[in-house]
Amino acid sequence: MDKRITIVCGHYGSGKTEFSVNYAIKLAREGKRTALADLDIANPYFRSRERQQFLEENGVALYSNVYHADISADMPAITAEIRGPLEDGGCHVVVDSGGDDTGARVLNQFRKYFLGPEAGLYCVVNANRPETADFEGALAHIRSICGETGIPLAGLISNTHMLRETRAEDVIKGYGLCRELSSFLEIPVEYCCASREICDKISTLKNIKEDKEFRLFPMELYMRPAWLDR
């Protein structure tokens, strides 16, 4: 993933927002001027704009709707300020888009920025979500997003998890599904996401060591609310 503008899509519950936040922080820690554009105005849960202070403390500028972090104000009113980082060739932008074709429709407002060589659309696939648990379901979801936006898919991100109950086997299973999709669509699997603890276990597996295309992406649970651990 070497695009200046990284658009992240994925079904609800796929971990799309968690990946967007993790990836933006990764870019910032690499010394890149980074912005996160929260265009997920359809989903009232786990929105990146709820971590605005945390993101800014980690060097990521946040752009969202005109109401910013007000959870009660989910109106389709995207701030015009978002055009600033999109037009700034020195700024890396991570776009957290909606979870389905309806949610992704907001991308059409900024479509001219997303069709050039600087931009790429990437889909987070979670094989433990009912809607994307198999090849047919995941492919239908991808086609609905691309059909609505007219933006070609540049790559896949495997993020199969069951929160704290995730096992290495879950991650490997999800990666297998993404490899199947990758072969069919002729696009790469950019990352396979997992917690740092599970990454350590997976990296020792013989079949993974021999897969030269396999790239682990260690994830922190920045978006996970404290009440889920109770």
Side-chain angles (χ1 to χ4, degrees):
M1 293 173 65
D2 56 356
K3 302 294 186 179
R4 184 180 72 82
I5 301 173
T6 302
I7 310 136
V8 184
C9 66
H11 216 289
Y12 300 124
S14 65
K16 164 185 64 69
T17 294
E18 192 74 82
F19 175 79
S20 297
V21 170
N22 273 266
Y23 188 65
I25 290 174
K26 172 183 177 293
L27 292 175
R29 288 177 176 171
E30 290 173 352
K32 298 171 181 174
R33 190 153 50 85
T34 306
L36 175 60
D38 182 356
L39 299 191
D40 189 355
I41 61 175
N43 179 14
Y45 304 108
F46 305 113
R47 300 168 306 182
S48 47
R49 58 186 174 274
E50 294 175 38
R51 296 291 184 268
Q52 181 170 1
Q53 181 177 346
F54 171 77
L55 285 163
E56 291 175 348
E57 289 172 350
N58 282 274
V60 179
L62 179 69
Y63 296 81
S64 60
N65 67 9
V66 295
Y67 301 102
H68 300 290
D70 188 347
I71 196 168
S72 65
D74 279 293
M75 301 293 288
I78 302 298
T79 176
E81 294 175 353
I82 199 171
R83 298 183 187 276
L86 290 173
E87 293 179 354
D88 182 350
C91 183
H92 285 73
V93 185
V94 179
V95 179
D96 181 8
S97 71
D100 58 13
D101 55 339
T102 302
R105 194 169 296 159
V106 70
L107 293 175
N108 292 329
Q109 296 182 45
F110 308 98
R111 194 165 176 267
K112 70 175 184 179
Y113 301 109
F114 301 152
L115 292 177
E118 287 190 317
L121 174 66
Y122 301 87
C123 185
V124 176
V125 177
N126 185 337
N128 277 340
R129 296 296 299 170
E131 302 85 353
T132 55
D134 56 26
F135 178 86
E136 290 76 15
L139 183 62
H141 173 65
I142 289 168
R143 284 177 166 167
S144 70
I145 296 289
C146 295
E148 175 59 42
T149 63
I151 305 171
L153 196 67
L156 299 165
I157 299 157
S158 179
N159 186 41
T160 299
H161 65 84
M162 295 183 68
L163 298 176
R164 296 295 184 192
E165 298 179 9
T166 307
R167 303 167 302 165
E169 292 83 354
D170 296 310
V171 177
I172 298 302
K173 178 189 77 172
Y175 176 66
L177 172 60
C178 280
R179 284 297 302 269
E180 187 180 0
L181 290 164
S182 167
S183 177
F184 181 80
L185 296 170
E186 298 183 332
I187 56 175
V189 180
E190 297 287 351
Y191 288 120
C192 184
C193 303
S195 68
R196 293 187 181 279
E197 179 183 358
I198 293 178
C199 282
D200 291 340
K201 295 178 181 178
I202 293 173
S203 61
T204 64
L205 299 177
K206 183 176 184 295
N207 60 326
I208 291 301
K209 285 182 176 181
E210 295 175 350
D211 187 343
K212 298 186 183 303
E213 297 180 12
F214 183 81
R215 291 200 298 169
L216 275 170
F217 186 87
M219 291 251 284
E220 303 290 345
L221 297 180
Y222 296 127
M223 298 301 302
R224 182 184 173 91
W227 52 264
L228 283 175
D229 285 321
R230 292 176 185 172

